[in-house]
Amino acid sequence: MSKMPDIMWLAEIKKDDIPSVGGKGASLGEMNAVGLPVPPAFVVTAQAFRRFLVESGIETELFGKLENLDVEDADVLEASAEKAMKTVMDAKMPESIKKSIIESYTKMGDTTVVAVRSSATAEDLPDASFAGQQETYLNIKGENDLIEAIQKCWASLYGARAIYYRAKQGFEDRGVDIAVVVQKLVYSEKSGVMFSSHPVSGEPTTIIEASWGLGEAVVSGIVSPDNYVFDQRTHRVIDRYIANKIVEILPDGDKGTKEVDIPKDRQDSPVLSVEEIEKLAKFAKIAEDHYDTPQDLEWGIVGGTIYILQSRPITTITSKSSGKKEKSEDTGKILLEGQGASPGIATGAVVIVNSIKDLSKVKDGNIMVAKMTNPDMVPAMRKAAAIITDEGGMTCHAAIVSRELGTPAAVGTKKATHMLKNGQVVTIDGEKGIVFEGGELKNADKTAQPVITGFAQAPIITATSIKVNVSLPEAAKRAAATGADGVGLLRIEHLILGLGKTPQWYIRNNKEDEFINELYTGIKTVMDEFNGKPVWVRTLDAPTDEFRNMKGGEEEPEEHNPMLGWRGIRRDLQSRDQFRLQVEAFKKLWNEGYDNLGIMFPLVGHPDEFIAAKGLMKEFGVDVENRVLGIMVEIPSSAILIDDFIAAGIQFASFGTNDLIQYTLAIDRNNQNVAYMYRPKHPAVLKLIKYAIERCRAGGVECSICGQAGSDPEMVKWLVETGITSVSANIDAISKIRETAAKTEKKIILDAARKQH
Ligand code: PEP
Ligand code: MG
């Protein structure tokens, strides 16, 4: 045997050092070498163990005891193993080895707590062939305990199972050595596991599971962890599920670990920041690339430092089916990533719209690129094949309008207006929010196109009524083709987007009739497509900044925070004329027999506002007691005071989750910097919704949703289970929402029936 050191640090270990450092030691060394942040460790080599056997003088005695042993005789085997282990434990470790170990330990910091693990070393043999000798001693602190733990690992080579195993495999006891890994123990504050690629499909998406405390909680399954999905192609977090984490495992002094309850305030908070997800995913990719096969990794984070504790191949996918290589080679170069705001794929030439002057440059089939879209841009948006913005999130104006137009859109890309050039040909995937270079997305998933199926097969009947959000008259036909049970939200401000003038402009220029007529015609176009089904039209709710560039917009007040400003019913109650014109349009429709028209008031925070709006309508000549009037629940106060609204006579309430989330969590829905914190399923949001649903049910009032969350199947499942009466979704989401509602209803019925039996 060549002269090898007693101790090797991870950085000194090479792949072919298995005979000296064992499988485990070599694997840690390799991980360290490729740049994975492995906790510091050194290995007490097989040569040190061999020297111990020789210099302590136990070699002959030890192997003598094991020769000609009948391993099938359990009693004999057990007794011999016990004696052999005692021989090893009683032997004196050579001073020089002891000294090397202690020096190395001291280098780590002599109060460092370490894990001491056996690492089998027979050449050409994988670890698995050494079942029974993988002893591990955790929480080892101090020189004496460390030396004892190392000796215990050595002794474990002569445990009954290990001897039996070797005999059965035909290995000589003398021929097998053992190395011992001494590794700094990471007391993870958060930890978990991750799959470098999707464990079932092999897609290049890294799945990370995370929970508080030590990793055992996730590995053993005692806690349901957060789940984060990171797309390695786009380098974006594409999904996250924040679980309710009840317990964590923490170190218990010297006694190992203990299970403790997680304090309430941490139970529902996300374990990982975006930065941490990105770093973890980067390490997963390094491991997968290095081993050339998808990896299952264990990780821990302490004091902001990430450690990779283990990496091994995922057994559920073969590297061939991972599809990783084919995918990344076939897809065009990614130029930008934002939020997928409106599904569909389109290719075209870029036109950058910096100001209103540029709008006329957008021709049919162009890709319109703007910092953020304004209502005055809608005529150009109608022509565009796709829309890309720098700013905004899933519920911003650009996203909502694009969805209705059926135009693919990526919003919140941060730098599209700087990165892209006029005339440059790009392809956008509006489902994923990715902008690719060039004209063809070879591997494009064409199913991402919005598919409006209508009722090709037998209709799915749901007790929950499934309505659609539609505001642009040109989208009415597509909306009705979904077979929706009505319109759950028609936004007046979007209906008048194409007019280019603010309502106040019409008033100031004595063109009230023109405005009333525009509203009347637009609403009628939608209602005619829905033939007697309920259509809820919402009174104006345009933040002042959205009207700024329209004719008359210069008169709009400058507000520090338009989202919290003069919008919704609060503005209409002060701008009586503006409200009156809308009511005149409604009256015209009612007078023509459109009794299915219901009116919804936005941004209502107190029942007095509903009472005042109803009072004004009455003053303007509406038979308010015989008309359907309701409110948006989009300020927490309206959910909290829902009983008072019911007492004030609302006939329906509809959750405007786009705003309810931003006002509950103090997250600006248009701000891409905080988009990752915008959580529809935040427990506070769910609590408000649940309470309001329950009170509406008790009060016999229809309860609906028309915010973006109503287009999310997972959310809709929860809403139906919680008792919502109707859901209003985007045109492209109707069929999957209908299916979700139907499945959920069936399950509720089935569960109830099973309970009875
Ligand atoms: C909402 O807030 O959820 C909503 C539907 O209204 P808007 O998006 O127009 O604010
Ligand atoms: Mg709203």
Side-chain angles (χ1 to χ4, degrees), residues 582-717:
Q582 298 169 65
V583 175
E584 287 303 331
F586 305 152
K587 270 167 61 185
K588 255 177 113 160
L589 288 156
W590 279 322
N591 290 340
E592 287 177 17
Y594 287 93
D595 292 335
N596 49 330
L597 169 66
I599 304 301
M600 176 155 70
F601 302 127
L603 223 73
V604 183
H606 192 283
D608 286 351
E609 289 166 330
F610 172 74
I611 293 165
K614 192 170 161 183
L616 269 184
M617 283 182 89
K618 191 170 175 191
E619 210 178 302
F620 300 145
V622 176
D623 175 11
V624 285
E625 297 313 325
N626 288 307
R627 295 294 167 207
V628 176
L629 306 179
I631 57 158
M632 298 278 293
V633 174
E634 50 186 350
I635 302 180
S637 62
S638 58
I640 294 164
L641 297 180
I642 193 71
D643 279 336
D644 302 300
F645 281 100
I646 295 169
I650 58 164
Q651 289 185 36
F652 67 85
S654 181
F655 296 109
T657 43
N658 303 343
D659 280 319
L660 187 62
I661 297 161
Q662 84 166 342
Y663 297 137
T664 306
L665 307 179
I667 302 297
D668 177 350
R669 61 192 260 196
N670 283 351
N671 184 338
Q672 67 281 2
N673 296 324
V674 287
Y676 71 96
M677 293 177 72
Y678 189 86
R679 285 176 50 201
K681 297 184 194 89
H682 189 289
V685 175
L686 296 185
K687 205 166 175 175
L688 285 169
I689 294 178
K690 185 167 188 283
Y691 173 72
I693 291 178
E694 283 165 3
R695 298 316 302 153
C696 282
R697 288 193 80 90
V701 161
E702 179 168 359
C703 188
S704 190
I705 178 169
C706 57
Q708 176 62 20
S711 295
D712 169 11
E714 224 186 282
M715 184 76 167
V716 168
K717 177 173 177 281

Side-chain angles (χ1 to χ4, degrees), residues 249-303:
I249 294 179
L250 296 177
D252 186 14
D254 294 338
K255 297 195 294 286
T257 57
K258 61 182 175 191
E259 199 177 301
V260 296
D261 291 343
I262 295 176
K264 274 255 175 312
D265 60 329
R266 277 199 305 144
Q267 284 182 6
D268 294 310
S269 44
V271 171
L272 296 176
S273 67
V274 172
E275 209 190 337
E276 287 168 332
I277 298 168
E278 288 169 352
K279 280 190 187 153
L280 283 167
K282 190 181 99 194
F283 294 134
K285 175 96 172 66
I286 290 175
E288 178 170 320
D289 286 350
H290 175 69
Y291 295 107
D292 203 25
T293 187
Q295 298 287 299
D296 169 356
L297 302 106
E298 281 179 31
W299 57 268
I301 298 180
V302 58

Side-chain angles (χ1 to χ4, degrees), residues 508-540:
R508 273 195 291 277
N509 289 282
N510 295 322
K511 294 194 189 294
E512 293 192 352
D513 286 347
E514 207 180 298
F515 184 68
I516 295 168
N517 209 42
E518 290 284 358
L519 288 191
Y520 160 81
T521 317
I523 299 170
K524 185 171 175 309
T525 307
V526 175
M527 295 198 74
D528 285 342
E529 293 292 342
F530 284 84
N531 205 11
K533 292 177 178 174
V535 173
W536 292 347
V537 174
R538 189 178 73 181
T539 55
L540 265 170

